Amino acid sequence: MKIKKFFYSQKVAPYVFVVPFVLSFLIFWIYPLISSITMSFQDIGAVSSEWIGFKNYTKLLKDKVFITAICNSAKYMFFTLVLLIPFPMLFAVLMDSRLVKAKGVWKAILYMPALTSVVISGTLFRLMFTEYPTGQMNMITQMLGLGTYKWLKMGWSGMLALLIVACWRWTGVNMLYFLSGLRAIDTSLYEAAEIDGASAWQKFRYVTLPLLKPTTVYVLTISIYAGLAMFLESYMLWAGNNSPNNIGLTIVGYLYKRGIEKNDMGYACAVGVVLLVIALAINIVQLIANGTFKNKED
């Protein structure tokens, strides 16, 4: 009876509900993080490991393939931010207006790609961007009189393919985030702006954009991480982790190459730690720039 009263206590109950999250956070995030940082200072063999200090990190600075992977991930992240924040926001505003009919149908259509397996979608897009004349992209370029292209063997077209996959997959998800933010805005603000003679653009600029800022910051934060951590889309698009001249190699792809393919776990952990530091640094800078860390009393 005492045990039952203990668990049914209003003071204890909140902690009981929190325990599963705390345990999963410690086991699946904190412990792997500490282990990865420790392993990044080691040369890990099949039987034993040796402490080598900062050698893995100094080696990274001279690793041209790693620099290429960082550049590819940075470009991918930048272009996904340019495409996957303003356009989903615009679609959300249109979806929230009276201009669009059958809104539920459009939401389902735009969200459906996110439910599709990356393995399936990556394979389909690889067939679309094939260098053969029968590929959909080459069929389009031939219709326009531009000939055929080896889409997945050139840097610019390879990045274009990755961005098309990203936009196809995540536009609907980000649109729903912005829709939820729009629903939180008091409609009386728009009515007051309309009474004052504000145009549609002025209402969007002076009412919608400022009040959507929390949602925008959230989408920006997760998009930065998602852009830097992209791997499976590239892996499926090139049917492996070996793209021509590493045009599709990402930071996580290089981590996989060193850790799994070459069994150099210490070096791979160093790559992972650097990725974590880069993602944290970029997000902290943008959160400070957006005023998220600003004192409310200020």
Side-chain angles (χ1 to χ4, degrees):
M1 291 296 293
K2 290 183 178 180
I3 296 176
K4 187 175 181 180
K5 288 182 179 179
F6 176 79
F7 282 108
Y8 277 84
S9 171
Q10 292 184 353
K11 294 181 178 179
V12 177
Y15 297 99
V16 173
F17 285 112
V18 169
V19 164
F21 167 76
V22 173
L23 288 176
S24 61
F25 181 73
L26 291 174
I27 295 171
F28 297 108
W29 204 89
I30 296 298
Y31 174 70
L33 176 62
I34 295 173
S35 298
S36 297
I37 294 173
T38 303
M39 291 167 65
S40 69
F41 295 101
Q42 297 175 337
D43 180 14
I44 301 173
V47 180
S48 61
S49 59
E50 178 186 357
W51 190 269
I52 59 173
F54 288 93
K55 286 186 179 180
N56 284 327
Y57 292 98
T58 55
K59 186 179 176 182
L60 276 177
L61 297 175
K62 303 174 183 178
D63 193 337
K64 293 182 180 180
V65 179
F66 176 65
I67 301 300
T68 300
I70 287 182
C71 292
N72 290 339
S73 292
K75 284 191 289 186
Y76 177 82
M77 179 200 70
F78 173 77
F79 287 119
T80 51
L81 294 181
V82 171
L83 296 171
L84 288 175
I85 291 182
F87 289 106
M89 183 188 294
L90 176 62
F91 294 154
V93 172
L94 290 173
M95 198 69 67
D96 197 49
S97 69
R98 299 175 182 176
L99 299 174
V100 178
K101 304 299 181 182
K103 297 178 181 180
V105 176
W106 287 110
K107 288 178 188 177
I109 292 173
L110 288 170
Y111 187 75
M112 198 174 296
L115 304 177
T116 307
S117 168
V118 183
V119 176
I120 296 172
S121 59
T123 303
L124 292 175
F125 275 95
R126 183 170 72 248
L127 296 174
M128 286 176 58
F129 284 94
T130 182
E131 61 187 78
Y132 299 110
T134 52
Q136 282 84 349
M137 295 301 295
N138 274 334
M139 290 174 67
I140 293 173
T141 55
Q142 287 178 93
M143 289 173 60
L144 297 174
L146 300 176
T148 60
Y149 292 90
K150 296 181 179 180
W151 297 94
L152 299 179
K153 291 185 178 180
M154 298 183 292
W156 68 271
S157 55
M159 181 60 65
L160 177 65
L162 285 171
L163 293 173
I164 290 175
V165 174
C167 291
W168 174 81
R169 186 170 175 79
W170 299 116
T171 296
V173 176
N174 287 356
M175 183 196 71
L176 291 180
Y177 286 140
F178 285 116
L179 266 175
S180 64
L182 287 171
R183 296 294 168 81
I185 299 175
D186 191 349
T187 55
S188 62
L189 297 173
Y190 293 106
E191 294 171 359
E194 193 169 350
I195 292 172
D196 291 338
S199 63
W201 165 248
Q202 289 173 325
K203 286 189 284 186
F204 175 76
R205 180 179 178 182
Y206 296 108
V207 179
T208 304
L209 276 181
L211 295 178
L212 264 184
K213 183 179 177 180
T215 306
T216 306
V217 171
Y218 171 75
V219 175
L220 178 61
T221 302
I222 62 174
S223 297
I224 288 172
Y225 169 76
L228 291 173
M230 186 273 293
F231 165 63
L232 192 54
E233 289 87 345
S234 173
Y235 189 91
M236 293 308 303
L237 204 57
W238 276 276
N241 205 25
N242 297 304
S243 55
N245 297 319
N246 294 318
I247 60 174
L249 183 66
T250 64
I251 303 178
V252 178
Y254 191 57
L255 186 155
Y256 179 86
K257 182 187 290 288
R258 297 305 300 246
I260 305 301
E261 295 178 358
K262 296 187 177 181
N263 198 27
D264 190 357
M265 291 302 299
Y267 196 72
C269 287
V271 174
V273 172
V274 171
L275 170 60
L276 176 64
V277 171
I278 292 173
L280 283 175
I282 294 174
N283 269 318
I284 289 172
V285 168
Q286 68 90 7
L287 289 172
I288 293 173
N290 285 318
T292 304
F293 291 155
K294 189 176 180 181
N295 193 333
K296 292 183 180 180
E297 295 180 359
D298 295 342

